[in-house]
Amino acid sequence: MGVRMEKSNRRIALIGFAILMVGLGISDSLRGIFSGIFQTHFALTAKGLSTIIAVSYAGNLCFLLAGGRIMDKIDRKKAFLGFLAVWMCAMLVFLLTDNYYALLVGMFLAMGASTLLNTSITLITPFIFATSPAMIVNVLFFTQGIGTSGGQSLIGNLADDFGGWKAVTGVLFAIGVLAFLIILKLQIPDSGEVKKAEKDQQGRKMKGNNLWIVMVVIFGVYFIAEHGMLNWFVIYGTNALGLEQGKAANYMALFFGGMTVGRLVFSPLVDRLKVFPSIALFSVISAVLYAAGIFSGTLWMLSLAGLFCSIIYPTLVMAIGRLYDPSQVSTMSGLIISVASLFDIGFNYIYGDIAEKTGYGRSFLIMPAAMILFTLLFVLVFHKRILNREQA
């Protein structure tokens, strides 16, 4: 591939992936935005709403388990476009049906395909942007954050009935079509483009250890720390700290707004520091701010932690690509992230009981504890890669 063609290919990738990530960000925020409208339109109980969330998590689990293996077995571009087509089909289900069970099917497909797509983008990017992959990945996650936060703000204020739901899903389908047409022109290296000797050597290394299990625990503990903030901070703020709901929501918005901004601001630094040192540095700062904010009640410090948490997840996904053979990266990423999501599901299932028994003030201490544990595990397991930046 010539220099001019490579530049054109990178431009196509950046535009297509950025458009898609905005759409995925909006898509991922729809459950929360339209939960009240779903409840009214379908006459749902609280259990009916929780079923929507549970089905979404099930979609994540199933799609990641199967999708990673598919991407390693067939042409990456065909696999990616297939995943995108599934996401678009989910938008059509939302757009063309008016049935609770159809909604559940759509949520299973939409959230599963969405998680698989942004994971795939993270893994594909280093093959296209060889000189600055970490920066590009974090910039793309920044665009997803714009979709999420912008969708929550704009759609939350404008969409007040089921017709709004139909309109939004129609727009998302159009975004999917546009991204599909752009990515159709993209050249993505095939998963089989790897030297056999390297593949055999790495395969033997993988069979000789349980590194994937360690990575599952690392991802799982991080999911508890970050998603625990998303799911439980507002109720912690109102019940344990006596904040008004709006004020508690503002602190949470600052946390996740910081995550969005941080991915843009810190993305060049990640490429300079390299993957493993970057995760170590930002996780240490995040853990200190997270714990200090909760234990001292200084919530601006907790909100500031979001800024430094920003690069952790996308760069952590990239770290998987440094640990496994290119022909197996998608399979292992799907396995690790899907199994780690069980931590998320299990924790959110039991947290309500823990909060009822101990109170929200004590139970919320689990979140900074999880962040500290994540940091310690990562540094202890990968201390050699952190110190030796040439291998990071």
Side-chain angles (χ1 to χ4, degrees):
M1 189 185 294
V3 174
R4 182 175 297 178
M5 189 174 293
E6 286 182 1
K7 288 183 178 179
S8 176
N9 199 53
R10 288 195 294 268
R11 190 180 304 113
I12 291 169
L14 189 59
I15 294 171
F17 287 166
I19 290 172
L20 179 57
M21 288 293 261
V22 171
L24 296 179
I26 297 172
S27 172
D28 291 349
S29 69
L30 295 183
R31 287 170 300 179
I33 296 171
F34 286 97
S35 58
I37 292 172
F38 292 155
Q39 190 167 34
T40 301
H41 186 79
F42 295 113
L44 299 178
T45 61
K47 184 178 180 181
L49 286 177
S50 66
T51 300
I52 295 174
I53 297 173
V55 166
S56 302
Y57 277 123
N60 290 345
L61 182 64
C62 295
F63 271 69
L64 284 169
L65 276 174
R69 187 173 295 275
I70 290 171
M71 183 165 278
D72 280 336
K73 293 295 183 183
I74 69 173
D75 179 77
R76 283 194 177 104
K77 180 176 176 179
K78 291 179 181 177
F80 189 87
L81 291 174
F83 303 151
L84 178 52
V86 172
W87 183 77
M88 291 161 60
C89 285
M91 296 305 112
L92 281 179
V93 169
F94 296 147
L95 182 61
L96 301 177
T97 63
D98 187 3
N99 178 277
Y100 174 67
Y101 296 102
L103 176 69
L104 293 180
V105 171
M107 284 294 178
F108 180 88
L109 296 175
M111 300 306 162
S114 175
T115 302
L116 184 55
L117 283 167
N118 66 43
T119 301
S120 299
I121 287 173
T122 304
L123 298 174
I124 290 171
T125 297
F127 291 97
I128 301 173
F129 299 90
T131 58
S132 56
M135 183 183 76
I136 298 299
V137 164
N138 280 284
V139 167
L140 289 171
F141 270 80
F142 166 74
T143 64
Q144 185 179 27
I146 291 175
T148 301
S149 57
Q152 289 171 337
S153 176
L154 184 62
I155 299 170
N157 287 316
L158 296 179
D160 56 1
D161 57 21
F162 203 70
W165 164 253
K166 297 286 189 180
V168 171
T169 53
V171 170
L172 288 176
F173 177 76
I175 289 174
V177 171
L178 179 58
F180 189 96
L181 293 175
I182 294 173
I183 295 170
L184 198 59
K185 300 177 181 178
L186 181 65
Q187 294 185 32
I188 302 174
D190 183 50
S191 59
E193 296 174 9
V194 61
K195 294 179 182 178
K196 187 177 185 300
E198 293 177 355
K199 180 178 179 180
D200 293 340
Q201 181 181 6
Q202 188 67 23
R204 287 194 297 272
K205 181 181 178 182
M206 286 169 56
K207 292 177 182 177
N209 60 49
N210 292 318
L211 184 60
W212 76 272
I213 299 175
V214 175
M215 288 299 288
V216 164
V217 176
I218 287 173
F219 268 86
V221 174
Y222 180 74
F223 285 161
I224 291 173
E226 181 186 318
H227 298 167
M229 180 73 177
L230 175 65
N231 294 323
W232 299 102
F233 178 77
V234 172
I235 196 167
Y236 159 74
T238 55
N239 283 269
L241 304 179
L243 300 176
E244 294 180 357
Q245 181 166 326
K247 192 170 184 179
N250 286 338
Y251 278 114
M252 187 179 74
L254 286 172
F255 180 91
F256 287 98
M259 289 188 72
T260 300
V261 172
R263 284 169 179 163
L264 182 65
V265 172
F266 294 130
S267 56
L269 185 60
V270 177
D271 275 319
R272 291 182 184 178
L273 293 177
K274 305 299 182 184
V275 169
F276 289 88
S278 294
I279 297 171
L281 175 63
F282 281 83
S283 62
V284 167
I285 297 172
S286 300
V288 170
L289 289 171
Y290 210 146
I294 293 295
F295 285 106
S296 70
T298 311
L299 294 184
W300 68 264
M301 295 181 72
L302 179 60
S303 296
L304 188 61
L307 187 67
F308 293 94
C309 282
S310 59
I311 64 96
I312 293 177
Y313 177 74
T315 313
L316 197 59
V317 176
M318 288 190 68
I320 300 175
R322 303 295 195 275
L323 301 174
Y324 295 98
D325 183 86
S327 68
Q328 298 169 313
V329 165
S330 297
T331 298
M332 296 309 300
S333 299
L335 175 65
I336 290 167
I337 298 172
S338 60
V339 177
S341 69
L342 295 175
F343 280 67
D344 217 354
I345 297 169
F347 171 74
N348 284 287
Y349 183 76
I350 65 171
Y351 182 78
D353 291 332
I354 296 173
E356 286 184 1
K357 292 177 181 178
T358 64
Y360 283 102
R362 290 182 178 178
S363 64
F364 201 79
L365 296 177
I366 294 172
M367 314 314 172
M371 192 67 205
I372 293 169
L373 179 58
F374 160 75
T375 303
L376 291 174
L377 284 173
F378 187 85
V379 171
L380 288 173
V381 173
F382 296 112
H383 63 278
K384 291 183 179 179
R385 286 179 176 267
I386 292 166
L387 294 173
N388 187 0
R389 290 178 55 194
E390 294 300 317
Q391 299 179 2

